[in-house]
Amino acid sequence: MRARTRREFGRLTGAMALAALGPRLAAGEAKARVVVVGGGIGGATAAKYLAASARTIEVTLVEPKPNYTTCFFSNLYLAGLCSFESLTHGYKTLAQRYGINVIHDSVAAVDPVAKTVWLKSGPKLPYDRVVVAPGIAFNYDALAGYDEAATQVIPHAWNAGPQTQLLRRQLESMDDGGVFVLVAPPNPFRCPPAPYERASLIAYYFKQHKPGSRILILDAKDNFNSQDLFLDAWERHYRGMIEWLPAQFTGGIKAIDVKERSVRTAGETFKAAIANVIPPQQAGQFAQQIGLVDQSGWCPVDPITFESKLQPGIHVVGDAASAGDMPKSAFVANSQAKACAFAIVEALAASERAPPHLFNTCYTFLSPDDAVSNAVSFKPVAGTIKIIDNFVSQVQESAETRHRAAREAQSWYAAFTHDTFG
Amino acid sequence: MRKIIAASITAGSFITFTDPSLAADRDRGARLAAMCASCHRLDGGDGGIPTILGMSPEMLTRTMLAYRSRERPSHIMRAIALSLSDEEIATVARYLAALDKQVRP
């Protein structure tokens, strides 16, 4: 083990800020190799914290897309309140500042016996550990009449990108007086308050630009996240504009008719000017392909290390993971990714193991100046992850409190995306 | 007082970090600080959420305890302050004070 020079230390902390004095290499010792598959919030955070925590680890990040567009805050874009570019983040800093080997390619297969990741374009990457962050896939089989091709007419816009832009174009070209039908998915799904935030912000857009238009939410559920806060806000900001129909009222969503742009429920068919179908969800396809998924459709993981319970040596973080009480959110992905990165550093160095602190924070916009927040702490308990504390905004809060939360949310976005990509 | 404490920690992290107990304390601090970085920039940049660099360890500890007791309101900070033990708060406060010296000398 050699001591670092003062200059070297300064360079490291200056560049990485969070660089821990993790394990160092003895001369001639080979670096451990970690391959991170998927460059969303979970994958990018894991790659960054692995690289920043231990210089004894060589980190490769495999992601097909050149940029990542955040799903969180994309409802603001739909309402015309921010640009698409402001939601888009590249991987340059991760490569240049943290020395992460960023490869824009897809993974064809993982061989857990030979400990090798095979890239689609041919190369093989040997690994000591793999972190997989594949996000979500849509379970089209669970919704008659809706499939991949249908998304070009009726977008889900639940992976941010071209789908989000398509839905925005439809909103812009819609005639005033139309009905926007939003089909909300069954649990569990990515970002529980987001379908209802979307309804709120699109109502805001309609109020400004197409005041005769309405929103109809056809829900696969009988209740939803922060329901009291949303119902209160809809009454205050958008009276008569948003109607929510639970499954027990409609008898459930039966089929989507793409040609007619309509949604058939057990009792009635609803025709839309714009339909936005958020389908039932499961772990990203890659997770299914390499055997990380159980019958729930998600990836069971160890609550401390996020190592797959089905495939040793492969860790799963983010939306694809089935992690007890933790919801599927960007904040959770970031929190899990750090816990996972530190667990891998500890495992590779056989060093002290500290139990992780896990959190979720959600900011939800009810209007551009009226936001609510939710903060939850979690702990690994008896093989799963349990909620410890849960603090949430209340109906009847002052306008100033809500306005402050809206401003704080914008600041949070900047800091959070910096923590992940910067 | 603040200056002396921070200076000794900084000196410690430069020179005697081969001391395993100091290095371990710093590692623990870095891991706890990673949690702060989800909302607070730790590179001296201004993200809009109030910075937590530049506070003395005593000040940071007092602030965390005020969030824990609800004397200061914040859902997020309350959840975090309740989740951390007193020892963990002291560890992350020491780490952040030392980090401040590195990124904003």
Side-chain angles (χ1 to χ4, degrees):
Chain A
M1 197 178 274
R2 80 194 164 83
R4 272 183 204 155
T5 63
R6 183 183 181 115
R7 192 170 148 205
E8 192 185 2
F9 182 78
R11 182 184 63 78
L12 264 176
T13 48
M16 296 170 181
L18 274 169
L21 292 179
R24 284 166 298 274
L25 280 181
E29 198 179 326
K31 280 191 168 191
R33 291 156 303 194
V34 180
V35 178
V36 180
V37 183
I41 299 299
T45 305
K48 172 173 164 173
Y49 278 83
L50 280 162
S53 298
R55 294 196 309 152
T56 51
I57 300 177
E58 195 178 282
V59 182
T60 301
L61 176 64
V62 184
E63 162 60 45
K65 293 197 291 295
N67 296 298
Y68 180 76
T69 305
T70 63
C71 223
F72 53 104
F73 279 50
S74 67
N75 288 330
L76 290 171
Y77 164 77
L78 290 176
L81 296 165
C82 71
S83 70
F84 190 76
E85 292 66 38
S86 71
L87 303 175
T88 302
H89 307 271
Y91 300 97
K92 217 167 115 187
T93 310
L94 293 181
Q96 291 178 355
R97 187 175 296 171
Y98 296 92
I100 295 164
N101 179 24
V102 179
I103 300 177
H104 293 297
D105 200 342
S106 297
V107 170
V110 176
D111 180 343
V113 178
K115 292 201 160 188
T116 307
V117 169
W118 296 40
L119 298 179
K120 261 196 185 126
S121 64
K124 295 176 198 172
L125 306 172
Y127 69 79
D128 295 292
R129 296 269 171 163
V130 178
V131 179
V132 172
I136 54 166
F138 301 107
N139 183 5
Y140 293 120
D141 294 342
L143 196 52
Y146 195 69
D147 57 17
E148 185 84 48
T151 65
Q152 296 311 308
V153 181
I154 299 181
H156 53 70
W158 218 244
N159 271 329
Q163 278 282 293
T164 323
Q165 290 171 304
L166 173 61
L167 187 56
R168 174 65 189 159
R169 284 197 301 274
Q170 291 183 350
L171 283 163
E172 282 175 314
S173 59
M174 189 189 99
D175 291 332
D176 188 15
V179 179
F180 180 97
V181 176
L182 189 157
V183 174
N187 292 324
F189 62 95
R190 165 179 284 174
C191 201
Y196 314 95
E197 180 192 64
R198 178 171 289 180
S200 308
L201 291 176
I202 288 175
Y204 176 82
Y205 170 72
F206 283 165
K207 205 172 156 182
Q208 314 297 311
H209 301 283
K210 300 175 187 192
S213 310
R214 289 193 310 113
I215 294 169
L216 175 65
I217 304 171
L218 299 173
D219 211 319
K221 306 176 291 301
D222 287 334
N223 46 58
F224 61 91
N225 184 284
S226 305
Q227 190 166 337
D228 56 338
L229 291 168
F230 280 109
L231 295 181
D232 168 70
W234 293 348
E235 188 59 24
R236 284 187 292 114
H237 297 307
Y238 318 113
R239 186 171 302 164
M241 291 182 73
I242 302 177
E243 189 178 5
W244 173 70
L245 299 181
Q248 61 187 2
F249 181 88
T250 61
I253 294 136
K254 299 300 174 197
I256 309 298
D257 187 327
V258 176
K259 227 182 247 159
E260 291 293 317
R261 222 182 275 258
S262 67
V263 180
R264 184 162 61 79
T265 66
E268 209 178 326
T269 296
F270 297 90
K271 195 161 167 46
I274 299 176
N276 172 206
V277 171
I278 306 166
Q281 292 159 35
Q282 56 198 0
Q285 204 157 15
F286 176 67
Q288 301 172 40
Q289 195 187 314
I290 62 170
L292 299 172
V293 172
D294 68 13
Q295 70 286 353
S296 73
W298 305 97
C299 307
V301 292
D302 179 274
I304 294 172
T305 62
F306 293 88
E307 186 169 359
S308 166
K309 287 183 176 172
L310 305 178
Q311 297 277 7
I314 303 181
H315 299 247
V316 186
V317 295
D319 290 348
S322 171
D325 290 345
M326 296 189 92
K328 303 184 184 307
S329 77
F331 200 104
V332 159
N334 172 275
S335 183
Q336 291 178 346
K338 289 172 187 174
C340 174
F342 297 145
I344 289 174
V345 170
E346 285 157 4
L348 292 173
S351 66
E352 177 195 11
R353 179 159 290 190
H357 287 278
L358 298 165
F359 296 95
N360 182 40
T361 296
C362 275
Y363 288 100
T364 304
F365 286 92
L366 304 167
S367 83
D369 296 325
D370 181 350
V372 289
S373 70
N374 176 209
V376 188
S377 60
F378 304 88
K379 238 187 201 142
V381 178
T384 185
I385 299 175
K386 292 279 185 204
I387 291 178
I388 302 302
D389 286 306
N390 185 1
F391 302 112
V392 60
S393 297
Q394 302 296 316
V395 173
Q396 307 286 346
E397 280 172 343
S398 71
E400 171 50 29
T401 299
R402 296 295 184 80
H403 197 176
R404 200 169 49 235
R407 288 196 306 267
E408 196 176 283
Q410 297 285 358
S411 304
W412 169 79
Y413 183 90
F416 183 76
T417 49
H418 176 83
D419 184 38
T420 305
F421 296 104
Chain B
M1 183 63 189
R2 182 206 159 190
K3 235 183 186 138
I4 294 163
I5 290 170
S8 67
I9 286 166
T10 308
S13 50
F14 278 139
I15 297 156
T16 59
F17 70 90
T18 43
D19 176 335
S21 71
L22 262 177
D25 188 61
R26 210 193 141 89
D27 276 356
R28 278 194 295 272
R31 280 162 207 206
L32 293 166
M35 179 182 68
C36 311
S38 298
C39 302
H40 298 276
R41 283 185 66 157
L42 298 183
D43 63 347
D46 182 13
I49 298 264
T51 185
I52 48 174
L53 293 182
M55 286 166 107
S56 68
E58 297 78 12
M59 180 65 179
L60 199 121
T61 301
R62 265 204 308 279
T63 307
M64 289 300 284
L65 295 180
Y67 280 121
R68 192 194 275 170
S69 70
R70 229 179 198 158
E71 192 186 314
R72 287 179 75 134
S74 164
H75 294 140
I76 294 133
M77 290 314 301
R78 182 144 198 255
I80 292 170
L82 282 166
S83 174
L84 298 186
S85 68
D86 290 354
E87 195 196 330
E88 285 174 321
I89 289 175
T91 303
V92 75
R94 274 196 301 276
Y95 177 81
L96 289 170
L99 182 67
D100 183 40
K101 294 280 162 190
Q102 316 273 349
V103 300
R104 307 191 306 182

